[in-house]
Amino acid sequence: MLTGAPAIHHLLRHRWITGCRYLSAIISGFSLFIVLLLTLTSWLHKPTIKPLNPLIPLDPDLVDLTLLRNATEKNAVCLDGSLPGYHLQRGSGSGAESWVLHLQGGGWCSTVDSCSSRQETPLGSSHYMPRQALFVGILSQSSSLNPDFYNWNRVKIRYCDGGSFSGDTMVQAKNGRKLFFKGQRIWEAIIDELLSEGLGKSKQAFLTGCSAGGLATFIHCDNFRALMPKGANVKCLADAGFFLDEKDISGKRTMQSFYNEVVRLQDVGRNLPNECTKRTKPSQCFFPRELIKTIKTPFFIVNPGYDFWQIQHILVPKASDPELHWLRCKKNIHHCDSNQIYVLQGYRTSMLDALSEFQHKKDAGMFINSCYMHCQTANNITWHSPTSPRINNKLVNAPGSKRGETHH
């Protein structure tokens, strides 16, 4: 069960420091290593490279990108009109009929200009996507780093629509190019292709996602379950996707306004769950707090109470801090003064309050820690390692990790 917080300074100055400071440093180094590894791989055109980090399997598979067949005919294309894609690594043995799908994150775009800029990045065009992906964390092939899913069929679905796989329209950009907001069609087309690849005969299916992909998991979870074979064990997990509708430090609802624009520009509303849009406006149904009220599929939420992306973009967006009083604090939580710590504590409390109803649902679970990070399941260090965050000494993927909140 969720527990009350200790004194503010004790929580952020002592427990966060002892439990998460070193973890953050390790993750930063690990992320840099992954970037260098993929860059070298692309340059040398070799299928594998000997890793330097002991938390990476000795011979990690770099999984090839598969571009979606018949995507153009289905109008299921990225922002620039290119083909969407996914990476699939086949399961084996006891996991041959089990599937885990991971929806990539990467934020959203809410204006024609910002979406046009994404057309020339991997988040808007498959022309810029890496041709191989290193499967780590919940997608790892290592039985020691990913004991539950290492031999399942594992899929990473690339994100290139800017609307959490939920838009369906097209607009003309100022440069004369077209902007294709076809996230909903991409979702449907990729799932349809994976069904033909064996997902349609699965005995277990697990839909997961990180950040904007985590939000997409909330949106599509029940639809995913409906597409699976009758009798299959189907569950969903959203990692760092529980975005809050909270006021920023200037008193404005920056995230609410931003989501309003995303939903309007990309015509997202008609693809959100009907049970939600019948009781409130579509843009509110882009917030997980509303979505979880009607999700029927067993669901697990992984989120830090001090999600650094949310702190930097929802609580303290740039426009709310013109004199940059929060700049050092946002970059490093150890530089926050007592007033800033109090504000951060309030944001964490708001997240726990938003989850209070969910925690009592029958088929619901959560893992809410107090680290200053964003996304934990797609990283070996935070997914299953000696330094991974714990609740009652249990990892997020350990047996019995049902619900709770930790300060480590």
Side-chain angles (χ1 to χ4, degrees), residues 183-311:
Q184 177 67 27
R185 293 178 183 243
I186 292 173
W187 159 258
E188 294 173 354
I190 287 183
I191 295 299
D192 187 57
E193 181 161 308
L194 292 176
L195 288 171
S196 68
E197 291 289 333
L199 179 62
K201 297 180 180 179
S202 62
K203 293 182 178 179
Q204 297 186 94
F206 193 24
L207 178 65
T208 74
C210 160
S211 194
L215 174 57
T217 304
F218 283 108
I219 294 171
H220 294 299
C221 181
D222 281 344
N223 171 252
F224 177 71
R225 185 182 190 181
L227 295 171
M228 294 303 104
K230 186 177 180 180
N233 184 16
V234 182
K235 298 181 180 180
C236 301
L237 180 153
D239 178 10
F242 198 81
F243 298 95
L244 298 184
D245 180 14
E246 285 291 305
K247 292 181 180 179
D248 62 30
I249 59 171
S250 70
K252 297 180 180 179
R253 291 193 178 275
T254 300
M255 197 63 177
Q256 185 181 100
S257 298
F258 179 71
Y259 272 179
N260 279 337
E261 292 303 309
V262 173
V263 170
R264 179 196 59 78
L265 177 66
Q266 302 198 32
D267 197 15
V268 169
R270 58 177 169 163
N271 296 317
L272 296 173
N274 289 332
E275 289 184 65
C276 185
T277 55
K278 286 179 180 178
R279 69 171 185 273
T280 187
K281 59 182 181 180
S283 59
Q284 284 301 113
C285 293
F286 215 49
F287 285 102
R289 183 172 189 170
E290 293 298 324
L291 291 168
I292 59 176
K293 293 178 180 179
T294 55
I295 292 177
K296 299 177 179 62
T297 306
F299 207 102
F300 198 89
I301 295 174
V302 178
N303 224 99
Y306 303 97
D307 186 313
F308 79 74
W309 191 96
Q310 296 198 45
I311 299 299

